Amino acid sequence: MTNAEFIQAMNSSTQTKCGGDVHLKMHELSQEALRITAEINSRYHEPAELRHLMEQLTGQELDEAFGLFPPFYTDCGKNIHIGKGVFINAGCKFQDQGGIFIGDHCLIGHNTVIATLNHGILPEERGDLLPKPVRIGEGVWIGSGSILLPGVTIGDRAVIGAGSVVTKDVPADMIAVGNPARVIRSIYA
């Protein structure tokens, strides 16, 4: 199975059977991600070096305005899609098999967790994966320590308050806070 076939299968949001070809490819990609993130996190790197390592991890060319403060963790890497001028602060954990799409000029606060996988509810399906993408619009600010759960979309320019757990979509230009996160007002109010 190629990387493109894996990403296509995961982006279909179809239940992935434990032990199947897609599941096995995920484990192969996780080993590469562990190797690259170990390099990112093991010593100091100039910003251009970090950008190059993230390009290896994601398989995507990143613009010179991309910024990352390590440590950074992911267990796949190949289904992270990063726009222009994105900054990812220290301690973030991305579970990207189901797809993480980050729009231009986003700020991701430190210790943010983005999860795109769930497991089957039935005991015999617990090893199965249920992928759903997380989509973050342009100009979004995700506050420190936030958790974005599978399938959520954050609209353009929205703000997610620190420590929030996002379980539902957040419209553009809104501020959402809490656990579970709820919209409290417009950014323009």
Side-chain angles (χ1 to χ4, degrees):
M1 171 170 278
T2 67
N3 289 355
E5 290 169 333
F6 170 79
I7 290 170
Q8 181 180 5
M10 296 306 282
N11 287 350
S12 73
S13 296
T14 302
Q15 185 166 341
T16 301
K17 296 307 262 176
C18 182
D21 289 343
V22 175
H23 200 249
L24 294 174
K25 182 65 174 182
M26 181 189 72
H27 285 287
E28 175 189 322
L29 292 174
S30 70
Q31 293 307 302
E32 181 181 359
L34 289 170
R35 180 184 56 75
I36 296 170
T37 56
E39 176 63 25
I40 288 170
N41 299 331
S42 66
R43 64 183 179 84
Y44 174 77
H45 296 280
E46 295 286 335
E49 292 175 300
L50 282 174
R51 186 176 66 252
H52 179 68
L53 287 165
M54 285 296 286
E55 288 173 341
Q56 289 178 36
L57 180 66
T58 64
Q60 169 191 352
E61 187 174 330
L62 300 172
D63 73 307
E64 290 187 15
F66 170 78
L68 171 69
F69 283 179
F72 175 78
Y73 305 95
T74 186
D75 50 5
C76 182
K78 297 301 185 229
N79 211 0
I80 300 172
H81 309 274
I82 300 171
K84 294 181 171 102
V86 169
F87 175 71
I88 301 170
N89 214 330
C92 290
K93 299 173 181 82
F94 289 10
Q95 180 196 50
D96 65 287
Q97 290 89 337
I100 296 174
F101 300 85
I102 303 171
D104 295 345
H105 308 293
C106 288
L107 303 174
I108 312 293
H110 64 274
N111 295 319
T112 293
V113 173
I114 303 177
T116 66
L117 293 179
N118 216 329
H119 291 276
I121 297 297
L122 299 174
E124 61 273 13
E125 294 180 350
R126 293 273 162 81
D128 293 0
L129 303 174
L130 303 167
K132 289 189 179 174
V134 170
R135 299 180 187 281
I136 301 170
E138 294 186 4
V140 171
W141 174 17
I142 308 291
S144 299
S146 293
I147 301 171
L148 281 58
L149 294 181
V152 299
T153 296
I154 311 297
D156 293 345
R157 299 169 303 280
V159 175
I160 306 301
S164 295
V165 178
V166 182
T167 61
K168 296 179 182 175
D169 293 353
V170 175
D173 301 317
M174 294 295 171
I175 299 172
V177 300
N179 180 3
R182 62 181 180 79
V183 173
I184 58 169
R185 69 177 178 88
S186 167
I187 62 172
Y188 299 108

